[in-house]
């Protein structure tokens, strides 16, 4: 060895000096990252590029052996587990149906209020391949970089809760600043008390919610979710659970609320990087897959005549939230803003909010979100029939005539088509059955529900047999244009 | 022009050393002139006095390690004046110092012709290394002009012949 050094002394010294200078140069040079728009020091890029392949190899090897174990050896109990999972899946499907109804109701309510929500449109699964290796720095390395579309300040989450945000992006890997790092911060809300604060990390990796006044009462066990105010994390993602709350010693007017993170930050393997968030006002037409028949009914409800000074209102498509259904207007007219069905935002809601529809405003006001869809489809059918549209419920949903006073769009027609399909009744809907303005039974849904006995058939409009219709009382001052269908919707008395 | 390059054995080549004052003063003087003169006479910026000094000390000492260290120090200090990243001149002059010292071990470079040729080649190499580092590491888009570089090589070669003659008086026999 000694002879090697003595023999190659000059080249070795040359390489050492060059190495020192290159490293020194790399610490100064910032390579512009076209994706983040910020400069990253060359030495950082080199270091990460040198380390991450090794980490990736370690993790990959570990996964290989673990997968081998799971795939070939650990196969017993799979059948039982499969049965259990199947049962769980069935249960979850029911739960999903119920939640979907709730979500759609929530969207309508949000649309009523002009609420802007952030939707997670795209995310990337990334594998955690390393950490900062320091107790003071809570940073992890993931195996996706800007070649995979990662950019700085993207939110990183797990199904359990948020993890952090992307700090630095490299071609094949990224650094994620976890929420329990002292440099980290996120806007949060205490789920029960709706108190807003900022969650920050500490040197020890603990999480504290700050900026909540000390006179507020915060109970341990309360869930903490993201508020969306930081414009990094979408609203409503779980953050953690309150462990305890005490007066902040540094600022006694505020509370120091210690939080246990929902995501297991010490054992992260895979994370989701949210690469695309869209902020939009939810509209009924954007629900896409399912529009309840009650919404179709709401669209068919006659509207107040357009004011001459606002001729543009006619052109506004249904499904947009620019209808004059502002909360203030709802207050004025007495139509409840919490009436998502009878007051559909584009037409029904706006109309119910601006002026009473032919259906009694009180009825529209008491209609609750969980109106049974099939019965409402029946109403829509009747409406269409009266307006000269096909009597078939499916047709009525798909063919929106110009006679309808709601400016139907192609999207809505599609959605209506969905809504006309027979669907399994979910308990949530069943509980609210018949509470919407005009709820009847629809033959299209006869497979799922029996026709109500308290409904009446409307012979004049040629409704299909079995479609009970009750003429809906009209308001005397309601204009009746020739192309507008009379609101011959059947109804049940509100409970 | 005839260039006389005589190949000799290491025993036949004289190895020189310099006083501390010369070792420190000459590079510093070269740096001062290099940074000062182009302020007044911009066209003189084509001369690279620190490079010539590096080459001179390297080939005179005929030891690669002192040669590359001399180049590294001179280049790093020169970088400090440029406002660019420190290390561009340092790396290139380190390599030039090493190459010049290695060449001085094997070739007689006391001849004016060989000095011109040597400086001509080393200037070219220096410009190439500098541009390569600038493009590869720093990410700059360095414009490369062959005519400018060749003119600079010729002018620096000629200046080297003159300067090296004066600097020879500072040599001490090792």
């Amino acid at each position: 060895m000694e002879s090697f050094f003595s023999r190659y002394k000059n080249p070795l010294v040359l390489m050492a000096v060059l190495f020192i200078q290159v490293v020194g140069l790399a610490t100064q040079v910032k390579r512009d990252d076209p994706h983040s728009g910020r400069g990253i020091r060359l030495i950082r890029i080199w270091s990460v590029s040198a380390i991450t392949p090794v980490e990736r190899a370690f993790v990959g090897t570990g996964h290989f052996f673990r997968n081998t174990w799971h795939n070939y050896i650990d196969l017993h109990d799979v059948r039982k587990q499969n049965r259990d999972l199947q049962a769980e899946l069935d249960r979850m499907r029911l739960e999903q149906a119920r939640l979907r109804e709730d979500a759609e109701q929530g969207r309508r309510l949000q649309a009523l209020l002009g609420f802007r929500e952030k939707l997670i449109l795209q995310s990337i699964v990334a594998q955690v391949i390393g950490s900062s290796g320091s107790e003071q720095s809570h940073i992890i390395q993931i195996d996706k970089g800007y070649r995979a579309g990662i950019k700085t300040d993207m939110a990183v989450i797990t199904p359990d809760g948020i993890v952090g945000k992307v700090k630095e992006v490299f071609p094949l890997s990224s650094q994620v600043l976890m929420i329990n790092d002292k440099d980290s911060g996120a806007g949060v809300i205490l789920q029960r008390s709706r108190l807003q604060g900022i969650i920050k990390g500490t040197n020890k990796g603990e999480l504290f919610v700050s900026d909540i006044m000390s006179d507020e009462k915060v109970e341990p066990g309360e869930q903490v979710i993201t508020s969306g105010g930081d414009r990094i994390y979408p609203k409503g993602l779980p953050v953690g659970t309150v462990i305890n709350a005490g007066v902040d010693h540094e600022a006694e007017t505020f509370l120091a609320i210690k939080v246990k993170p929902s995501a297991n930050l010490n054992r992260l393997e895979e994370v989701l990087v949210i690469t695309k968030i869209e902020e939009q006002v939810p509209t009924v037409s954007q629900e896409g897959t399912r529009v309840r028949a009650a919404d179709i009914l709401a669209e068919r409800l006659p509207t107040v005549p357009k004011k001459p000074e606002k001729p543009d209102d006619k052109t506004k498509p249904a499904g947009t939230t620019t209808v004059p259904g502002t909360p203030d207007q709802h207050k004025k007219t007495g139509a409840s803003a919490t009436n998502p069905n009878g007051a559909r935002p584009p037409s029904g809601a706006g109309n119910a909010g601006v002026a009473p529809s032919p259906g009694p405003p009180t009825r529209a006001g008491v209609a609750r979100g969980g109106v049974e869809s099939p019965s409402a489809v029946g109403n829509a059918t009747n409406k269409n029939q009266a307006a000269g549209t096909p009597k078939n419920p499916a047709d009525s949903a798909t063919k929106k005539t110009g006679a309808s006073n709601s400016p139907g769009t192609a999207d809505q027609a599609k959605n209506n088509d969905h809504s006309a399909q027979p669907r399994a009744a979910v308990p949530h809907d069943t509980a609210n059955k018949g509470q919407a303005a005009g709820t009847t039974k629809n033959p299209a849904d006869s497979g799922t529900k029996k026709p109500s006995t308290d409904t009446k058939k409307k012979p004049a409009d040629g409704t299909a047999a079995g479609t009970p219709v009750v003429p809906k009382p009209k308001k005397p001052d309601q204009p009746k244009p020739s192309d507008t269908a009379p609101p011959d919707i059947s109804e049940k008395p509100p409970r | 022009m005839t260039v006389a390059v005589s190949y000799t054995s290491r025993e036949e080549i004289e190895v020189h050393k310099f006083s501390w004052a010369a070792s420190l003063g000459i590079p510093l003087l070269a740096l001062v002139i290099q940074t000062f003169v182009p302020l007044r006479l911009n066209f003189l910026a084509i001369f690279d006095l620190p490079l010539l000094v590096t080459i001179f000390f390297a080939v005179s000492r005929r030891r690669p390690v002192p040669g590359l260290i001399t180049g590294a120090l001179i280049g790093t200090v020169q970088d400090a004046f440029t406002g660019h990243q420190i290390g561009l001149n340092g790396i290139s002059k380190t390599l030039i110092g090493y190459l010049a010292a290695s060449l001085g071990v094997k070739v007689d470079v006391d001849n004016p012709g060989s000095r011109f040729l040597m400086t001509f080649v080393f200037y070219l190499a220096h410009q190439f290394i500098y541009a390569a580092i600038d493009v590869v590491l720093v990410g700059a888009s360095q414009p490369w002009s062959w005519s400018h570089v060749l003119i600079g090589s010729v002018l620096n070669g000629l200046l080297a012949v003159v300067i090296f003659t004066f600097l020879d008086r500072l040599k001490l026999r090792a």
Side-chain angles (χ1 to χ4, degrees):
Chain A
M1 185 62 75
E2 190 178 347
S3 62
F4 174 81
F5 282 111
S6 58
R7 183 176 178 186
Y8 297 105
K9 186 182 79 173
N10 293 339
L12 286 175
V13 172
L14 174 68
M15 281 192 285
V17 173
L18 285 179
F19 178 77
I20 291 167
Q21 292 187 91
V22 168
V23 168
L25 186 61
T27 56
Q28 308 163 61
V29 175
K30 276 191 173 181
R31 185 65 52 85
D32 285 337
D33 182 7
H35 300 274
S36 67
R38 296 190 307 175
I40 305 175
R41 291 191 188 282
L42 208 56
I43 188 75
R44 193 184 293 273
I45 295 176
W46 288 353
S47 303
V48 171
S49 302
I51 298 299
T52 47
V54 181
E55 292 176 332
R56 196 191 297 261
F58 272 117
V59 173
T61 308
H63 276 267
F64 172 76
F65 285 113
R66 200 180 307 166
N67 290 339
T68 305
W69 174 265
H70 282 297
N71 290 339
Y72 296 101
I73 299 172
D74 195 21
L75 282 176
H76 57 83
D77 293 339
V78 164
R79 188 168 294 175
K80 179 179 178 301
Q81 191 181 22
N82 192 31
R83 278 199 306 271
D84 294 343
L85 287 174
Q86 191 62 46
E88 179 77 6
L89 180 64
D90 293 341
R91 194 180 64 76
M92 294 304 289
R93 277 180 178 153
L94 286 174
E95 180 74 7
Q96 186 192 16
R98 188 182 70 77
L99 291 175
R100 192 179 293 161
E101 291 296 324
D102 286 349
E104 289 173 4
Q105 176 185 353
R107 282 196 203 102
R108 277 188 293 274
L109 287 170
Q110 289 172 348
L112 276 175
L113 298 171
F115 181 85
R116 299 189 76 83
E117 66 177 355
K118 287 180 176 177
L119 303 175
I120 300 174
L121 295 184
Q122 210 171 19
S123 62
I124 294 176
V125 180
Q127 204 165 49
V128 178
I129 56 173
S131 67
S132 66
S134 164
E135 289 182 344
Q136 286 75 33
S137 172
H138 297 87
I139 285 175
I140 55 172
Q141 313 271 350
I142 58 175
D143 69 339
K144 294 286 191 302
Y146 66 68
R147 287 185 189 171
I150 308 284
K151 294 177 183 171
T152 52
D153 287 341
M154 283 181 170
V156 181
I157 64 172
T158 67
D160 297 328
I162 66 170
V163 172
K165 67 172 184 177
V166 176
K167 188 180 178 224
E168 301 284 0
V169 184
F170 308 109
L172 295 172
S173 63
S174 301
Q175 281 185 347
V176 176
L177 184 70
M178 293 203 285
I179 53 170
N180 60 347
D181 190 276
K182 67 179 175 59
D183 295 330
S184 186
V188 294
I189 299 178
L190 303 184
Q191 197 168 31
R192 203 181 308 147
S193 57
R194 310 309 294 176
L195 294 170
Q196 292 207 20
I198 298 172
I199 196 159
K200 294 173 182 171
T202 65
N203 278 329
K204 296 178 182 175
E206 296 170 329
L207 278 174
F208 282 93
V209 177
S210 61
D211 291 0
I212 290 180
M213 300 299 288
S214 58
D215 55 352
E216 302 285 358
K217 186 167 185 177
V218 178
E219 298 286 343
E222 191 166 356
Q223 294 295 315
V224 181
I225 59 173
T226 53
S227 68
D230 50 28
R231 309 189 71 80
I232 291 175
Y233 303 101
K235 185 176 181 179
L237 297 178
V239 176
T241 311
V242 173
I243 299 175
N244 58 48
V247 176
D248 193 347
H249 296 297
E250 295 178 357
E252 292 187 352
T253 53
F254 293 101
L255 286 175
I257 303 167
K258 190 173 181 182
V259 173
K260 179 186 177 189
S262 298
N264 192 347
L265 300 177
N266 296 321
R267 290 182 181 275
L268 291 169
E269 291 189 8
E270 282 93 19
V271 293
L272 284 170
V273 184
I274 300 173
T275 54
K276 192 173 181 185
I277 298 175
E278 189 166 278
E279 186 176 320
Q280 62 182 20
V281 177
T283 57
V284 179
S285 65
Q286 290 173 350
E287 291 169 12
T289 54
R290 285 163 63 106
V291 171
R292 293 189 300 181
D295 301 328
I296 303 168
L297 168 66
E299 285 181 18
R300 297 296 191 275
L301 286 173
T303 59
V304 119
K306 299 292 184 297
K307 292 179 180 178
E309 63 269 17
K310 293 182 178 178
D312 294 341
D313 290 348
K314 275 184 180 177
T315 59
K316 287 181 180 176
T320 62
T321 55
T322 54
V323 294
T326 62
D328 289 338
Q329 287 167 327
H330 287 286
K331 285 175 188 172
K332 286 175 188 172
T333 56
S336 171
T338 59
N339 172 12
N341 284 323
R344 191 180 182 223
S347 54
N351 297 333
V354 175
S357 60
T362 53
R363 188 174 295 118
V366 297
R368 284 170 30 188
V371 175
E372 177 63 22
S373 306
S375 60
V377 169
N379 293 334
T381 308
N382 296 333
K383 291 289 297 177
N384 286 333
Q385 288 164 348
T389 50
K391 299 184 177 84
N392 188 322
D395 289 340
S396 70
T398 53
K399 296 179 182 177
K400 287 206 162 193
T401 65
S404 172
N405 47 25
S406 66
T409 61
D411 287 340
Q412 283 176 332
K414 289 177 187 173
N415 295 334
N416 295 344
D417 195 17
H418 285 296
S419 66
Q421 300 301 320
R423 296 183 308 187
V426 291
H428 176 77
D429 289 334
T430 309
N432 297 317
K433 182 176 72 177
Q435 292 182 351
T439 51
T440 61
K441 295 300 171 186
N442 186 347
D445 299 301
S446 59
T448 56
K449 293 190 73 68
K450 292 179 181 176
S452 174
T453 55
D454 59 350
T455 54
K456 298 174 185 176
K457 189 176 179 181
K458 185 183 178 186
D461 61 356
T463 307
T467 306
V469 175
V470 173
K472 188 175 180 181
K474 290 187 290 184
K475 289 196 72 173
D477 56 345
Q478 174 63 32
K480 187 182 177 184
S482 60
D483 59 344
T484 302
D488 52 348
I489 52 176
S490 52
E491 61 182 342
K492 281 184 180 178
R495 279 190 285 189
Chain B
M1 179 187 297
T2 58
V3 176
V5 179
S6 61
Y7 292 88
T8 58
S9 66
R10 185 176 175 85
E11 289 72 23
E12 295 171 337
I13 294 175
E14 283 186 296
V15 177
H16 297 99
K17 64 179 184 179
F18 297 90
S19 66
W20 277 104
S23 298
L24 284 175
I26 296 300
L28 281 177
L29 184 65
L31 286 165
V32 168
I33 294 172
Q34 185 68 35
T35 54
F36 179 74
V37 171
L39 281 178
R40 304 286 182 267
L41 304 167
N42 195 29
F43 66 94
L44 291 180
I46 199 169
F47 293 110
D48 195 345
L49 289 181
L51 176 68
L52 302 185
V53 172
T54 300
I55 295 170
F56 176 78
F57 279 109
V59 296
S60 300
R61 287 174 174 144
R62 292 191 165 97
R63 288 188 298 164
V65 172
L68 70 92
I69 290 175
T70 304
L73 291 175
I74 292 175
T76 305
V77 176
Q78 189 182 3
D79 279 324
F81 292 102
T82 60
H84 297 150
Q85 284 81 8
I86 293 177
L88 288 170
N89 275 302
I91 294 171
S92 47
K93 284 189 170 57
T94 301
L95 281 167
I96 295 299
Y98 178 82
L99 293 174
S102 302
L103 184 72
V105 172
K106 297 177 180 173
V107 180
D108 176 20
V109 286
D110 291 337
N111 184 285
S114 63
R115 283 178 168 176
F116 173 80
L117 186 61
M118 176 184 65
T119 310
F120 182 90
V121 172
F122 281 143
Y123 184 86
L124 266 177
H126 177 269
Q127 294 300 315
F128 180 78
I129 294 166
Y130 187 96
I133 296 168
D134 206 17
V135 170
V136 175
L137 285 183
V138 181
S141 55
Q142 178 90 354
W144 180 266
S145 168
W146 274 110
S147 59
H148 183 81
V149 172
L150 287 174
I151 291 171
S153 301
V154 172
L155 291 177
N156 277 278
L158 293 173
L159 183 65
V161 174
V162 178
I163 286 180
F164 287 3
T165 309
F166 288 104
L167 293 178
D168 280 339
R169 299 176 184 178
L170 301 172
K171 284 180 181 175
L172 303 174
R173 192 173 291 271

